[in-house]
Amino acid sequence: MGTGASRNAEGGSHGGEEREESLDQSGGQLYVSLKMENYKKKGDLIPHVYGSAPLIGSWDSSKALPMERESASRWELSFVVPPNHETLDFKFLLKPKYGYMPCIVEEGPNRILRGGTLQGDARLALFKLDNEEVLEYRVLIKADRVSPFDLAASWRAYQENFRPSTVRGIPDVSIDAAPEAGRENGSSASLELDLEHYVVPAPSTSANSGQVYAANLAENPRSLTFAGVSVDRPATIKEMEVVIPDPSKVYSGSGMVESKSVGTFSPLQKQDSHRGLFVDRGVGSPRLVKSASQSTFSFDLKLDTETKNSMPAAAGAVAAAAVADQMLGPKEDRHLAIVLVGLPARGKTFTAVKLTRYLRWLGHDTKHFNVGKYRRLKHGTNQSADFFRADNPEGMEARNEVAALAMEDMIAWMQEGGQVGIFDATNSSRGRRNMLMKMAEGNCKIIFLETICNDERIIERNIRLKIQQSPDYAEEPDFEAGLRDFRTRLANYEKVYEPVEEGSYIKMIDMVSGHGGQIQVNNISGYLPGRIVFFLVNTHLTPRPILLTRHGESMYNVRGRIGGDSVISDTGELYAKKLANFVEKRLKSERAASIWTSTLQRTILTASPITGFPKIQWRALDEINAGVCDGMTYEEIKKNMPEEYESRKKDKLRYRYPRGESYLDVIQRLEPVIIELERQRAPVVVISHQAVLRALYAYFADRPLKEIPHIEVPLHTIIEIQMGVTGVQEKRYKLMD
């Protein structure tokens, strides 16, 4: 509630003098909060308050007001004092839970509260029991001036929050009959025949990754960046020198490969070294903090610093798993390298891009290193198929050199705090993979991700896309000549291809079509590798649109209030009808499409005019929980909770509303939604809320976490995300101003 002034009086073991100032008598009614606290309270005695007429109307103990339990040891009673009765005369008493025992009134004189100021000394509340035992309660008395406007606003919010929902009878999963042919949802809600009429420009940082060759979005060689050399031209040999380990030497024997840890503890040492650490409970990345009971850390302070740097910017399960895996596992397990393996045109780069986007969205610092990009920057884009022959020693040396350079850059980045590196190349020989494992020893954990495709139609489609999009063929005017050259290059790789049988690996076999396939895993353990497997199981290349939109304007939107479960306004109802017409036109041939809403009535009401498609309510799609701020305006929060307002302003991503959620919390609960959107092969319409759609959109657009709270998701606008083999493309439709 809004306050113009406040006054506290606290009773402690030593008492205390009251200050003489009093609350400003103008500008509102007196709001009083009384609290009692006792950690040794007897469970069968309930604190009450009784006293003069403004408070209870009688000194009769049978009519005393019960205090409400605030916690295991604290009880509270709050009330508004009428303007003409600002002198309160009262005492505390303990009432037995069962009526056959007498009440116990506190010792000492009555307590007098005049104009919000406690008269006399602050003191404990003392209760003498029959056995001469004395119970002591700590007392806190707080008085505030509250304007009638704020009181009315709070009461209005209270009433609306407890109003029965208008959609209570609608099941979580429902489907309405298809509309009659030619039926419109009212003349004012009809749309132009051509939906392109409603298209508006997408932001400059939109999700149109499909317009760019995916490998070009990968990391640039550090040698170019640090030397100040433009990436628009190939670097010289001197600028990109790197020492290449001998790939002919077999690494760590055969079969499963175990990473060798450098400078790790024995189990007993590890336990001792972590004794002085605990995890800070604040939101965001868990921080390692030195315990007050221990003045210094154990000897390996560097280890703990690296752990701190490599923690994900996440909450919930991701943060908990990172703490467990990285504090208890070997040093190199704190950094994960996903090394792609596979013949050309098998979807490796597509898989790398999707996995990078997913892990970044979860909060893991992830980068994509594409060896082909390194090769083109060093050796140019005009390499013929002969360059890729296994019996071409110069070509082999050049390709191993750029692979080693990319691996070296990835490891250097990990040592600076990077968490997951996606190493994108064919890596089709055991010799190349041995070289990479040797370089990773003591630095990171390697998991090979092999993509295998036996569908000739998909391979042919990928080959043609490669010729159209790859910079390797940008200067080749003859499409058929480029096609012949690439087929020859592919044949060169097929002659020496060796499937992965060593180390930790994941094999994706015929998964890209979305029609079955299989995944094989070997020696995979830990939270993050497990999440990666689960994600890969649900990804495919089937083109389909995903439509994101906020609910129609709600009554809380009109009043500028956050949260709540209000109905939609007249304008919101008009948008619901226009949206139904849009969905009918846009998805008229997509009868397998579905409509997803939150469980809040403003999204369910927005979806209600849509017919002919299944509707599914998701609790995970509910708006961010504003906690104690639910139903307030931002101005009310700024006025009544200035510290919370400033904290949110400083870091909207990690700020958690009191008893509510942060954006990082929202991301964690949205992960099942993302997985299901990836798995779906038919269009999906998601009708949700601003914070939720910001997080979902950031996933598809690969936007940094820090930008999520500031992404623009306007009302009455549809964001169409087109997913397919060429990446992610975005189009926006604005149906109403």
Side-chain angles (χ1 to χ4, degrees):
M1 291 188 180
T3 61
S6 64
R7 184 73 179 90
N8 287 282
E10 185 174 330
S13 57
H14 301 290
E17 295 295 329
E18 273 303 311
R19 294 193 298 252
E20 291 300 322
E21 74 268 21
S22 62
L23 288 168
D24 182 7
Q25 297 298 312
S26 62
Q29 292 180 248
L30 193 63
Y31 175 84
V32 177
S33 171
L34 308 177
K35 296 185 181 184
M36 292 177 62
E37 188 175 58
N38 185 330
Y39 290 96
K40 299 181 180 179
K41 184 186 70 65
K42 295 183 177 295
D44 55 350
L45 295 175
I46 310 299
H48 284 62
V49 181
Y50 76 137
S52 59
L55 182 64
I56 185 61
S58 173
W59 281 98
D60 184 352
S61 60
S62 65
K63 298 179 181 179
L65 290 175
M67 302 181 77
E68 296 183 1
R69 184 187 292 275
E70 192 175 71
S71 67
S73 59
R74 178 174 286 190
W75 299 72
E76 193 264 353
L77 176 67
S78 58
F79 48 89
V80 176
V81 181
N84 57 338
H85 292 92
E86 291 207 347
T87 297
L88 301 179
D89 185 4
F90 66 97
K91 295 186 83 169
F92 295 103
L93 62 83
L94 300 179
K95 268 192 174 185
K97 186 180 295 184
Y98 309 103
Y100 54 81
M101 295 177 61
C103 298
I104 306 170
V105 181
E106 72 166 309
E107 300 291 316
N110 295 351
R111 297 176 186 266
I112 307 295
L113 190 69
R114 183 174 292 118
T117 301
L118 186 67
Q119 308 300 300
D121 295 337
R123 69 180 193 270
L124 297 171
L126 304 177
F127 299 89
K128 187 177 293 184
L129 306 183
D130 291 341
N131 58 1
E132 300 302 317
E133 179 185 358
V134 176
L135 290 180
E136 294 183 351
Y137 281 78
R138 181 168 170 261
V139 175
L140 177 65
I141 301 174
K142 182 178 181 181
D144 294 302
R145 285 286 171 187
V146 183
S147 73
F149 174 81
D150 287 337
L151 283 173
S154 299
W155 176 249
R156 185 168 59 248
Y158 173 85
Q159 290 288 83
E160 290 185 355
N161 282 340
F162 283 88
R163 185 177 298 163
S165 172
T166 61
V167 297
R168 180 171 293 169
I170 299 179
D172 288 349
V173 179
S174 61
I175 182 169
D176 302 321
E180 298 177 5
R183 181 178 64 87
E184 291 285 355
N185 288 301
S187 59
S188 62
S190 61
L191 299 178
E192 299 285 342
L193 291 177
D194 185 3
L195 296 182
E196 296 297 314
H197 175 79
Y198 299 95
V199 172
V200 294
S204 58
T205 52
S206 64
N208 290 317
S209 65
Q211 299 175 356
V212 182
Y213 185 56
N216 287 346
L217 301 175
E219 293 302 304
N220 290 316
R222 286 183 165 221
S223 54
L224 299 185
T225 304
F226 295 155
V229 180
S230 170
V231 297
D232 292 333
R233 66 163 179 81
T236 64
I237 296 291
K238 185 175 181 180
E239 287 170 346
M240 300 182 69
E241 283 184 352
V242 64
V243 177
I244 308 174
D246 185 355
S248 63
K249 295 181 179 179
V250 178
Y251 171 62
S252 294
S254 60
M256 294 186 182
V257 178
E258 295 182 359
S259 299
K260 292 183 173 60
S261 176
V262 178
T264 56
F265 300 114
S266 69
L268 182 59
Q269 289 172 323
K270 188 180 296 184
Q271 181 180 3
D272 291 340
S273 70
H274 290 160
R275 187 173 296 156
L277 302 177
F278 65 90
V279 177
D280 179 55
R281 66 180 295 273
V283 299
S285 303
R287 295 182 291 140
L288 295 179
V289 185
K290 186 164 63 177
S291 170
S293 63
Q294 182 165 319
S295 59
T296 59
F297 287 120
S298 297
F299 72 92
D300 196 354
L301 182 60
K302 182 179 179 182
L303 179 86
D304 299 319
T305 303
E306 290 176 357
T307 300
K308 174 182 176 180
N309 291 339
S310 59
M311 287 293 178
V318 171
V323 172
D325 286 357
Q326 299 193 28
M327 289 183 66
L328 301 179
K331 174 184 174 183
E332 60 266 34
D333 283 6
R334 300 174 190 182
H335 308 287
L336 182 62
I338 305 297
V339 176
L340 275 294
V341 177
L343 292 168
R346 262 54 174 188
K348 295 185 301 301
T349 298
F350 174 84
T351 302
V353 168
K354 293 196 75 167
L355 187 55
T356 300
R357 189 175 73 226
Y358 170 70
L359 295 175
R360 283 175 179 167
W361 183 79
L362 282 182
H364 298 280
D365 190 4
T366 306
K367 286 191 175 182
H368 174 202
F369 295 82
N370 181 272
V371 175
K373 182 176 184 178
Y374 277 65
R375 169 181 56 77
R376 284 186 287 271
L377 287 171
K378 181 165 185 178
H379 299 289
T381 60
N382 57 348
Q383 303 298 327
S384 69
D386 288 342
F387 181 81
F388 301 93
R389 293 202 331 262
D391 58 355
N392 179 351
E394 292 182 356
M396 285 290 293
E397 181 181 0
R399 287 189 286 134
N400 282 332
E401 183 181 20
V402 291
L405 176 63
M407 189 69 176
E408 189 178 72
D409 281 358
M410 186 173 72
I411 291 172
W413 165 74
M414 287 178 173
Q415 291 172 346
E416 296 167 359
Q419 296 165 27
V420 185
I422 312 294
F423 190 84
D424 181 11
T426 56
N427 300 312
S428 55
S429 68
R430 188 172 289 108
R432 163 71 71 82
R433 298 193 291 269
N434 284 337
M435 180 190 81
L436 299 178
M437 287 191 289
K438 185 67 177 176
M439 296 181 70
E441 183 178 359
N443 294 306
C444 62
K445 177 181 179 179
I446 279 186
I447 294 178
F448 293 113
L449 174 55
E450 185 176 14
T451 60
I452 300 172
C453 180
N454 298 306
D455 190 324
E456 293 298 332
R457 293 174 302 171
I458 293 177
I459 295 172
E460 181 65 21
R461 179 191 63 189
N462 290 349
I463 290 174
R464 292 183 173 274
L465 282 173
K466 190 89 170 179
I467 305 304
Q468 293 170 359
Q469 296 183 346
S470 174
D472 286 344
Y473 297 97
E475 298 178 6
E476 174 56 73
D478 187 344
F479 181 85
E480 293 300 325
L483 198 60
R484 288 192 297 272
D485 180 84
F486 188 81
R487 293 191 193 281
T488 304
R489 180 197 300 190
L490 180 56
N492 290 334
Y493 276 105
E494 289 174 336
K495 292 175 184 177
V496 295
Y497 185 79
E498 297 174 290
V500 175
E501 296 176 349
E502 68 273 18
S504 300
Y505 63 76
I506 305 167
K507 286 178 182 278
M508 298 178 63
I509 305 172
D510 293 328
M511 291 290 295
V512 294
S513 66
H515 298 278
Q518 59 178 298
I519 281 192
Q520 298 176 2
V521 298
N522 181 66
N523 196 23
I524 299 295
S525 62
Y527 176 83
L528 188 53
R531 299 310 302 169
I532 290 172
V533 171
F534 185 62
F535 175 76
L536 294 174
V537 166
N538 291 284
T539 59
H540 54 86
L541 297 178
T542 306
R544 74 277 191 200
I546 294 172
L547 306 178
L548 307 178
T549 184
R550 289 173 66 183
H551 53 81
E553 180 189 65
S554 71
M555 295 307 298
Y556 264 28
N557 291 141
V558 174
R559 297 166 184 163
R561 299 192 174 277
I562 63 174
D565 191 20
S566 63
V567 297
I568 55 179
S569 66
D570 291 344
T571 302
E573 290 180 0
L574 178 59
Y575 175 70
K577 295 174 182 178
K578 285 180 175 288
L579 177 63
N581 278 329
F582 178 91
V583 171
E584 174 65 21
K585 294 176 184 295
R586 176 65 183 84
L587 304 180
K588 60 183 177 181
S589 60
E590 301 280 0
R591 305 321 299 177
S594 57
I595 315 297
W596 297 0
T597 72
S598 72
T599 63
L600 300 175
Q601 57 181 337
R602 54 190 182 272
T603 65
I604 299 172
L605 292 172
T606 302
S608 61
I610 302 174
T611 56
F613 299 100
K615 299 173 187 174
I616 300 98
Q617 298 176 26
W618 284 67
R619 182 67 182 269
L621 291 174
D622 284 4
E623 179 61 297
I624 187 171
N625 184 352
V628 300
C629 299
D630 191 78
M632 299 175 69
T633 67
Y634 288 117
E635 281 301 314
E636 289 172 348
I637 297 173
K638 183 177 182 179
K639 176 182 177 182
N640 303 321
M641 307 171 71
E643 292 183 0
E644 295 296 331
Y645 183 86
E646 289 301 321
S647 295
R648 178 179 178 273
K649 187 177 178 181
K650 289 177 182 177
D651 189 354
K652 288 181 69 176
L653 176 68
R654 291 172 175 81
Y655 171 77
R656 180 178 288 133
Y657 285 100
R659 302 180 188 174
E661 289 182 305
S662 68
Y663 270 92
L664 292 178
D665 294 326
V666 172
I667 289 172
Q668 289 304 302
R669 66 169 158 94
L670 283 176
E671 187 191 11
V673 178
I674 288 296
I675 295 295
E676 188 57 28
L677 285 173
E678 286 286 357
R679 195 186 70 84
Q680 290 280 324
R681 293 171 49 219
V684 177
V685 180
V686 180
I687 305 173
S688 189
H689 310 267
Q690 180 168 248
V692 170
L693 293 178
R694 281 171 168 167
L696 290 177
Y697 176 81
Y699 168 77
F700 294 111
D702 196 15
R703 297 278 289 274
L705 291 180
K706 64 182 180 181
E707 294 183 10
I708 290 180
H710 310 287
I711 294 174
E712 183 180 358
V713 184
L715 283 171
H716 307 153
T717 301
I718 300 165
I719 303 174
E720 178 177 324
I721 303 293
Q722 186 71 41
M723 300 177 65
V725 65
T726 59
V728 176
Q729 294 182 331
E730 172 188 346
K731 182 183 287 187
R732 294 197 176 202
Y733 303 88
K734 189 171 184 62
L735 302 190
M736 293 172 55
D737 292 328

